[in-house]
Amino acid sequence: MADKVAEVTEAMKEVAVVEAEDDSQVKKGEEGSVYTSDTMGSDEAGEGTYRVPFKTVMKAMKHAKSEPFPPIYVDVKADSEAAKAGAKYELIAKAQLKKVTKLWLQEVKKEEKREKAEKEAEEAKLKRAEEARKITITMDTSLPAPKKIKLRQCTETRGVRVVVYGWVHRLRTQGKGLMFITLRDGTEFLQCVLAGEMCQTYEAVMLSTESSVAIYGVISPVPEGKTAPGGHELAADYWE
């Protein structure tokens, strides 16, 4: 029992020594420094600290968000003075810092371009939405009454006017006058084609995946050379 206690005590002393050494090394770095380690770091779970470093210098720069960057530390090189002194990290070399900074700037420009494109697309969408408020659609009451079906019944109800309910699984627009919706209801998938004013209403402009919709129309085999779930599609005459 005494031997076991002695072993535990010795182990605790070793941990205390390591932590003391770590604290000593941390104090050697400048306040606000960011640490990276290709061997023990993680860009996903890292914090950029001495004990929980990032993996890459790129992540350290993204964490800093802008220049000038705080001091960035990397793994010591085996033959460096820092390694001989027992350090785990050393300040990043100027050549490496310059190289990664160039890559970081490229990433920043890409992100700015992406954000600008998204903003312009959103503004254009809102503008179209305002114009679309003027457009309304109504069901053609002269058409046959629709048969309510599950999507698994599409093949057996080809050529019959139906109404299907489900969620928008995929959504694709082609110009202002054509919209393709892949619908799902838990039993199957169905491609629905909306044309004309049906895809120009406010609801159509603001439609997104996972929206719940009801679509009316006739199911027919897809044109030769085209593909769709089940080999057919619904040509919509109304939706809501």
Side-chain angles (χ1 to χ4, degrees), residues 56-109:
T56 64
V57 175
M58 177 65 78
K59 177 62 178 180
M61 291 180 174
K62 289 181 178 180
H63 177 74
K65 297 181 180 178
S66 63
E67 297 184 271
F69 299 121
I72 298 175
Y73 284 81
V74 297
D75 291 319
V76 292
K77 294 181 179 61
D79 57 350
S80 68
E81 291 299 321
K84 293 176 183 178
K88 292 183 179 179
Y89 302 95
E90 62 185 358
L91 200 60
I92 187 171
K94 291 182 179 180
Q96 184 184 4
L97 180 64
K98 183 177 180 180
K99 180 180 178 180
V100 183
T101 298
K102 185 177 180 180
L103 295 174
W104 174 78
L105 286 171
Q106 292 174 356
E107 289 291 320
V108 169
K109 289 179 180 178

Side-chain angles (χ1 to χ4, degrees), residues 7-27:
E7 288 178 10
V8 173
T9 303
E10 189 62 29
M12 291 177 66
K13 286 181 180 179
E14 290 177 0
V15 171
V17 170
V18 171
E19 290 184 347
E21 290 176 350
D22 283 356
D23 289 339
S24 175
Q25 291 298 328
V26 172
K27 289 173 183 176

Side-chain angles (χ1 to χ4, degrees), residues 200-221:
Q200 296 171 13
T201 63
Y202 176 82
E203 290 77 15
V205 172
M206 301 304 291
L207 190 65
S208 61
T209 54
E210 299 306 318
S211 297
S212 179
V213 296
I215 304 178
Y216 300 71
V218 178
I219 299 170
S220 304

